[in-house]
């Protein structure tokens, strides 16, 4: 019998309706809770579970149900507060006197909690526990009219088989971690987490709790913004220090939540940190489903503040409430006129969603949105992210019909691998733009693979967002249309500096000879000079460039806003940008406000050619990522599976770690056996020294490192013997074929072998190493340097360092961060 259940079997989860429960192994000390749970079940539910109208349990039965070994007999219970609301268990079946690969599964859900997705959740967790202990198949028996239980089995993502026998339905299914099962889990996760955020951003009623007597206090400002913003649901105000008869903006101020006369779905808490913790239970008693804690004195207050934050989170989880903050600036949703922030800005309704960890940056986001005239769908200041994080918000914004683009200010990742998975999915339909301080190859790799457009400043967030909601460019070819020669040349230089290419157009191919000669200058590819800059010539130039299939993006440079025809020129520019099928930006040499026709609407006006070019380049990069993402979806996913024997690799690793007492440096033969288990062969070939160059390519280096937060990182670079700078191409493992091809292309000609076959061999090596790295976190470091690539294949000697790592929770299982 196992002494204790694994720690990772205890966690908090979000249900389909957005509420939360705590799940943990059932223990002998749960006898009383189990009995209360049993007696709270309806007669019908007890009949479905026990196949008889069972009304009581004997002491022996209670002992049997609450005493398991956490291996061959596993039982999990879900709790909402102190109440047990669901139980699921499996009992391993015995074959020839020994535990076999099959286990009988059963689950029971409290009647009041049926329909919340608990059955599917419990089955999901039992399957993960079973896989840990070698169970490969679940079997169950139920009566034919227990449609709820049969529906759970059917929807679980496993391929179940139903049979009728003796008036009962027998169900069996393998519990392998398949693509289908993972897809089902991710869909359930998406629905649940989106629902939990929706309950916060679109509540039916709100209560503000805090100091409402001091002008300028957080509570007073939030209450004023909420009331002035026109929120249509009930709003209640609570000030624990309020005297009888106190009012605020004509509304009664109550001294206690107990005096509130309606259920309140969202609670905004601005009281001191110790008091905030004590309010959670009272908020739950009034029906609160979401909690926004604006109070400080938590993580910002050192060790004692962190203790308070953990206590606050535990209280919220016990109550089944999702928590924004602490240290939040507030939240808003413009469609529902929910303006619960401390900022003076009340943005117009629009289609840009925003999240910030920093309160100061969050305030700046709202100010820039107002300054740029950008409409906002919703905004969340996440504060310390004790609970609700960017991952939850991405789940919500992915399906929000009112959101076209997402802007993020991130300082940390609660679960980077989940962020990468979600952002990759969201970014294919809803662009995600992020600012994050600091430079880290792992973060760069995560953003690049996930399709997140990384920018350097808050203003650039809005620069790029304005283009990403428009047409997608087909490539990097830019045409500069300028009212003068010099500014046009500067714009071309700015474009090339950020990786754009001059499109094959010039004034000579677009415009007829000007009425007034401009000299004998030779045409410049990529530059269309509008001379003289009359409205008619501007219209002709733009029509020609925007209709040219060789042009992917357009940069319009205006020279003087004081020219007599400036407004007419601006009107021609605006009209054509509004109908353009490619991204178009405008930059200006003149200071001050642009002509009226270029303010707002479909025109993005930049103060410098560099800023305009950078925004275009980000848009081009994102379009290229979307094409790569499509290629990843359609490329062969079997390359990393053919000839792969994970069991053999596991035996190599485990054997070496046992011999080395948890740490091992593999000799060449053992390292070769490890790579061979993943179909990788790096033979020594006669006549080939180990460190010579390859013609026409150069010796390379491939490394695997494990990052504690981001998982396995795969690096491709030139060999150390010829490396001039540390600028490797870094990606997160595992890799699809298209991603490995992109790595080789990103390193340049030095990464290519002497022919297509050798390049393909390098791509295959990267895919297989990515699979190895993802499967074996014990491979702390693997290096092949130099790696030689030529027509005969690959050549190199791997160096492999292993280190034992604690078991991680299965990635298939959904859980909230703790």
């Amino acid at each position: 019998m196992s002494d204790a259940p694994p720690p990772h079997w205890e966690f908090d989860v979000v249900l389909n309706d957005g509420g939360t429960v705590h799940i943990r192994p059932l223990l002998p000390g749960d006898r009383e809770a189990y009995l209360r749970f049993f007696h709270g079940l309806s007669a019908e539910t007890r009949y479905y579970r026990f196949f008889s109208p069972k009304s009581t349990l004997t002491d022996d039965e209670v002992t049997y149900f609450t005493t398991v070994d956490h291996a061959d007999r596993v039982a999990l219970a879900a709790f909402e507060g102190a109440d047990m609301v669901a139980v699921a268990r499996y009992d391993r079946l015995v074959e020839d006197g020994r535990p076999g690969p099959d286990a009988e599964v059963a689950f029971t859900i409290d009647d009041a909690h049926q329909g919340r997705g608990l059955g599917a959740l419990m089955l999901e967790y039992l399957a993960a526990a079973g896989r840990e202990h070698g169970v490969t198949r679940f079997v169950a028996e139920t009566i034919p009219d227990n449609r709820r239980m049969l529906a759970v089995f059917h929807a679980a993502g496993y391929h179940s088989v139903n049979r009728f026998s003796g008036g009962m339905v027998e169900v069996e299914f393998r519990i392998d971690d398949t693509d289908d099962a993972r897809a089902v889990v991710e869909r359930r996760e998406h629905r649940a987490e989106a629902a939990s955020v929706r309950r916060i951003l679109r509540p039916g009623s709100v209560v503000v709790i805090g100091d409402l007597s001091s002008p300028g206090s957080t509570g007073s400002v939030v209450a004023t913004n909420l009331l002035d913003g026109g929120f249509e649901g009930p709003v209640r105000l609570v000030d624990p220090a309020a005297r009888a008869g106190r009012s605020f903006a004509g509304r009664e101020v109550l001294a206690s939540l107990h005096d509130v006369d309606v259920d309140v779905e969202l609670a905004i808490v601005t009281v001191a940190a110790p008091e905030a913790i004590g309010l959670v239970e009272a908020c739950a008693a009034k029906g609160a489903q979401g909690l926004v804690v604006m109070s400080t004195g938590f993580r910002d207050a050192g060790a004692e503040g962190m203790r308070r934050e953990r206590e606050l989170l535990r209280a919220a989880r016990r109550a089944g409430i999702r928590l924004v903050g602490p240290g939040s600036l507030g939240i808003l949703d413009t469609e529902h006129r929910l303006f619960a922030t401390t900022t003076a800005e009340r943005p117009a309704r629009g289609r840009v969603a925003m999240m910030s960890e920093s309160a100061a940056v969050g305030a700046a986001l709202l100010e820039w949105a107002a300054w740029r005239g950008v409409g906002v769908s919703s905004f969340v200041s996440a504060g310390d992210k004790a609970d609700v994080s960017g991952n939850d918000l991405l789940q919500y914004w992915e399906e929000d019909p009112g959101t076209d683009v997402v802007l993020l200010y991130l300082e940390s990742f609660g679960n980077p691998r989940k962020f990468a998975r979600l952002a990759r999915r969201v970014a294919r339909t809803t662009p995600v733009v992020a600012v994050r301080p600091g430079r880290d190859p792992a973060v760069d790799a995560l953003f690049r693979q996930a399709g997140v457009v990384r920018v350097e400043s808050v203003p650039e967030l809005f620069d790029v967002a304005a283009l990403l909601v428009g047409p997608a460019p087909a490539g990097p070819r830019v045409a500069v249309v300028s009212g003068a020669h010099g500014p046009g040349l500067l714009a071309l230089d700015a474009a090339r500096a950020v990786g754009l290419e001059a499109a094959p157009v010039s004034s000579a191919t677009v415009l007829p000879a000007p009425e007034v000669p401009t000299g004998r200058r030779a045409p410049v590819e990529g530059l269309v000079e509008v001379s003289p800059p009359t409205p008619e010539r501007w219209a002709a130039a733009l029509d020609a460039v925007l209709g040219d299939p060789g042009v992917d993006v357009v940069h319009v440079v205006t020279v003087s806003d004081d020219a007599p025809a400036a407004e007419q020129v601006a009107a021609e520019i605006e009209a054509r940008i509004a109908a353009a099928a490619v991204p178009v930006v405008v930059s200006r040499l003149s200071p001050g406000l642009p002509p009226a026709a270029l303010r707002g609407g479909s025109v993005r006006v930049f103060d410098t050619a560099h800023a305009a070019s950078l925004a275009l380049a980000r848009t081009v990069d994102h379009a290229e990522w979307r094409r790569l993402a499509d290629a990843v979806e359609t490329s062969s996913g079997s390359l990393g599976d053919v000839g792969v024997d994970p069991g053999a690799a596991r035996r190599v690793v485990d054997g070496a770690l046992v011999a080395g007492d948890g740490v091992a440096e593999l000799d060449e033969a053992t390292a070769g056996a490890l790579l061979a288990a993943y179909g990788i062969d790096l033979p020594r070939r006669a006549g080939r020294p180990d460190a010579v160059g390859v013609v026409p390519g150069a010796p390379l280096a491939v490394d695997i490192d494990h990052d504690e937060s981001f998982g396995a990182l795969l690096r491709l670079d030139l060999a150390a013997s010829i490396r001039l700078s540390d600028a490797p191409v870094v990606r997160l493992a595992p890799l699809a074929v298209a991603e490995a091809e992109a790595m080789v292309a990103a390193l340049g000609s030095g990464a290519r072998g002497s022919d297509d076959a050798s390049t393909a061999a390098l791509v295959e090596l990267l895919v297989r190493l990515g699979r190895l790295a993802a499967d074996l976190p014990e491979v702390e470091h693997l290096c092949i340097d130099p790696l030689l690539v030529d027509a005969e294949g690959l050549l190199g000697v791997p160096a492999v360092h292993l280190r034992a790592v604690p078991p991680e929770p299965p990635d298939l299982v959904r859980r909230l961060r703790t």
Side-chain angles (χ1 to χ4, degrees):
M1 177 180 292
S2 177
D3 293 333
H8 63 261
W9 284 9
E10 181 168 358
F11 40 81
D12 299 297
V13 295
V14 185
L15 304 182
N16 289 349
D17 62 0
T20 63
V21 294
H22 183 75
I23 293 180
R24 64 168 174 79
L26 198 60
L27 301 172
D30 293 319
R31 291 177 62 93
E32 293 304 317
Y34 187 85
L35 276 171
R36 289 195 302 272
F37 168 72
F38 173 82
H39 289 298
L41 299 175
S42 68
E44 181 184 55
T45 298
R46 289 200 296 269
Y47 182 81
Y48 283 154
R49 173 63 182 89
F50 298 103
F51 308 148
S52 68
K54 196 174 185 67
S55 60
T56 188
L57 294 174
T58 67
D59 286 344
D60 288 346
E61 286 175 324
V62 176
T63 299
Y64 175 81
F65 287 131
T66 58
T67 305
V68 294
D69 62 12
H70 311 298
D72 293 334
R73 297 182 63 242
V74 171
L76 301 175
F79 291 85
E80 190 172 72
D83 297 328
M84 187 181 296
V85 297
V87 174
R89 63 182 299 118
Y90 76 68
D91 292 86
R92 198 160 184 164
L93 301 180
V94 175
E95 293 183 3
D96 299 326
R98 299 194 310 177
D102 296 352
E104 185 174 12
V105 63
F107 55 86
T108 310
I109 313 298
D110 179 84
D111 293 75
H113 295 271
Q114 293 179 11
R116 304 182 70 196
L118 269 168
L121 276 171
M122 304 301 274
L123 183 60
E124 181 182 320
Y125 305 142
L126 277 181
R131 286 193 296 270
E132 288 187 40
H133 290 289
V135 175
T136 61
R137 188 170 61 170
F138 277 169
V139 299
E141 189 177 66
T142 186
I143 58 180
D145 64 345
N146 190 353
R147 289 182 292 273
R148 282 185 180 273
M149 186 172 184
L150 292 173
V152 169
F153 289 140
H154 178 74
Y158 305 107
H159 299 293
S160 61
V161 177
N162 296 358
R163 286 188 296 268
F164 286 94
S165 176
M168 303 293 287
V169 179
E170 296 176 350
V171 183
E172 64 179 46
F173 50 91
R174 292 189 61 84
I175 58 172
D176 303 313
D177 181 2
T178 65
D179 289 343
D180 286 346
R182 185 173 296 275
V184 169
V185 168
E186 290 179 2
R187 284 196 297 270
R188 287 198 294 258
E189 172 193 68
H190 167 69
R191 288 194 301 267
E193 293 180 359
S196 72
V197 173
R198 188 181 303 109
R199 299 199 317 178
I200 293 171
L201 285 173
R202 299 191 172 185
S205 52
V206 181
V207 61
V208 179
I209 310 168
D211 176 7
L212 297 169
S213 61
S214 303
S217 68
T218 301
S220 297
V221 173
V222 172
T224 298
N225 287 342
L226 184 63
L227 296 172
D228 290 351
F231 180 72
E232 295 181 353
V235 175
R236 298 294 183 264
L237 307 176
V238 174
D239 183 346
R243 298 185 303 274
R246 167 80 172 137
S247 65
F248 181 94
R251 305 252 182 156
E252 181 183 10
V253 177
L254 306 170
S256 170
L257 270 168
H258 299 293
D259 298 328
V260 173
D261 59 342
V262 297
D263 282 347
V264 285
E265 296 179 7
L266 176 67
I268 312 292
V269 177
T270 70
V271 300
E275 299 171 46
I277 299 168
L279 287 171
V280 175
E281 186 175 344
C283 289
K286 285 297 177 181
Q289 301 171 343
L291 198 66
V292 178
V293 177
M294 307 177 81
S295 319
T296 57
F298 290 94
R299 189 171 304 185
D300 56 300
E304 176 60 20
M306 284 298 300
R307 184 197 64 76
R308 289 194 200 108
E309 185 171 304
R310 288 191 293 271
E311 187 178 349
L312 175 70
L313 180 59
R314 283 195 297 270
R317 293 276 171 82
R318 284 195 303 268
I321 297 175
R322 297 303 308 269
L323 165 68
V324 174
S328 172
L329 178 76
I331 63 174
L332 62 84
D333 184 289
T334 56
E335 181 180 355
H336 288 74
R337 305 190 62 80
L338 175 72
F339 296 99
T341 70
T342 58
T343 64
E345 300 297 340
R346 190 179 302 154
R349 182 177 174 182
R351 308 189 65 81
V352 175
M354 304 188 297
M355 186 278 278
S356 174
E357 290 184 40
S358 161
V361 174
L365 285 173
L366 293 174
E367 289 169 3
W368 275 97
W371 175 257
R372 291 279 182 85
V374 173
V376 174
S377 58
S378 53
F379 164 82
V380 175
S381 168
D384 293 340
K385 291 197 311 186
D387 181 20
V388 172
S389 69
N391 290 345
D392 298 291
L393 294 167
L394 284 176
Q395 298 274 31
Y396 172 73
W397 285 324
E398 179 183 12
E399 67 173 29
D400 178 22
T403 294
D404 286 340
V405 63
V406 173
L407 308 184
L408 304 174
Y409 173 76
L410 298 169
E411 295 179 352
S412 62
F413 299 95
N415 185 336
R417 279 166 273 189
K418 180 176 178 180
F419 176 85
R421 169 169 59 83
L422 294 179
R424 183 196 296 262
R425 190 179 73 216
V426 174
R428 296 186 71 182
T429 56
T430 305
V432 179
V433 191
V435 174
R436 187 179 189 274
R439 277 296 174 189
D440 183 327
V443 175
D444 286 339
L446 181 150
F447 281 165
R448 186 179 298 108
Q449 284 177 267
V452 174
V453 182
R454 185 171 191 173
V455 298
E456 307 301 326
S457 66
V458 170
E460 197 184 349
L461 278 174
F462 293 93
D463 291 344
V464 175
L467 294 180
L468 288 176
V469 296
R477 298 167 301 181
V478 61
V480 174
V481 184
S482 175
H485 190 70
L489 292 178
L490 292 175
L492 271 180
D493 286 345
R496 293 189 182 102
V498 294
L500 299 176
E501 303 169 5
V505 296
S506 68
S507 296
T509 59
V510 171
L511 290 175
E515 298 171 6
V516 180
T518 57
R520 298 176 177 270
R521 286 194 296 261
V524 176
E525 186 170 76
L527 174 60
V528 176
E529 181 183 347
V530 184
S531 179
T534 64
E536 294 75 20
R537 290 187 68 79
W538 268 103
L542 289 170
D543 286 340
V545 168
L546 291 172
D548 191 322
V551 174
D552 301 317
V553 294
V554 176
H555 183 170
V556 175
V557 183
T558 64
V559 178
S560 175
D561 294 335
D562 295 327
E567 283 293 350
Q568 295 93 318
V569 167
E572 296 289 354
I573 295 172
E574 197 281 333
R576 280 153 180 80
I577 291 177
V582 298
V584 185
V585 296
V586 177
S587 68
R588 307 163 51 249
L589 291 181
S590 302
L593 290 174
L598 295 181
R599 298 177 204 163
S602 58
V603 182
R604 177 67 194 96
V605 181
F606 293 81
D607 291 330
T608 68
H610 173 75
S613 298
L614 190 58
L616 283 175
R618 307 282 197 205
T619 308
V620 168
D621 288 345
H622 182 68
E624 177 58 33
W625 173 84
R626 289 185 67 172
R627 287 187 285 272
L628 175 62
D630 290 340
V632 167
E633 287 293 313
T634 58
S635 66
S636 170
S638 62
L639 182 60
D641 299 323
V642 176
V644 171
D645 187 350
R650 172 54 61 190
R651 289 190 290 274
V652 171
V653 169
D654 290 347
L657 288 173
V658 169
D661 196 22
V663 178
E665 201 80 39
L666 300 189
D667 58 38
E668 185 175 338
T670 308
L674 176 63
L675 267 63
Y678 280 85
I680 299 169
D681 182 23
L682 298 173
R684 291 181 177 274
R685 297 200 297 273
R688 290 292 309 276
D690 284 348
V692 299
V694 181
V695 178
L700 306 176
V702 177
D703 295 86
I704 293 172
D705 282 299
H706 268 271
D707 184 278
E708 183 177 348
S709 298
F710 295 88
L713 300 177
L714 197 64
R715 291 182 174 86
L716 177 65
D717 203 350
L718 298 179
S721 59
I722 63 170
R723 191 179 304 153
L724 298 179
S725 64
D726 186 21
V729 179
V730 182
R731 298 292 187 271
L732 303 178
L735 295 172
V737 173
E739 290 174 315
E741 291 172 342
M743 283 188 76
V744 174
L747 190 59
S749 60
R752 292 193 288 272
S754 57
D755 58 13
D756 290 343
S758 57
T759 301
L762 175 59
V763 168
E764 180 174 347
L765 173 68
L766 292 173
V767 173
R768 292 182 181 278
L769 285 175
R771 169 75 187 275
L772 181 155
D775 287 352
L776 300 170
E778 296 88 351
V779 179
E780 186 175 58
H781 182 67
L782 184 153
C783 178
I784 307 171
D785 186 358
L787 171 69
L788 307 181
V789 184
D790 66 8
E792 297 181 56
L794 307 175
L795 178 65
V797 179
V800 182
H801 180 78
L802 305 179
R803 182 178 298 276
V805 296
E808 291 188 350
D811 185 53
L812 183 63
V813 174
R814 293 174 284 153
R815 64 192 66 220
L816 288 169
R817 296 176 299 118
T818 55

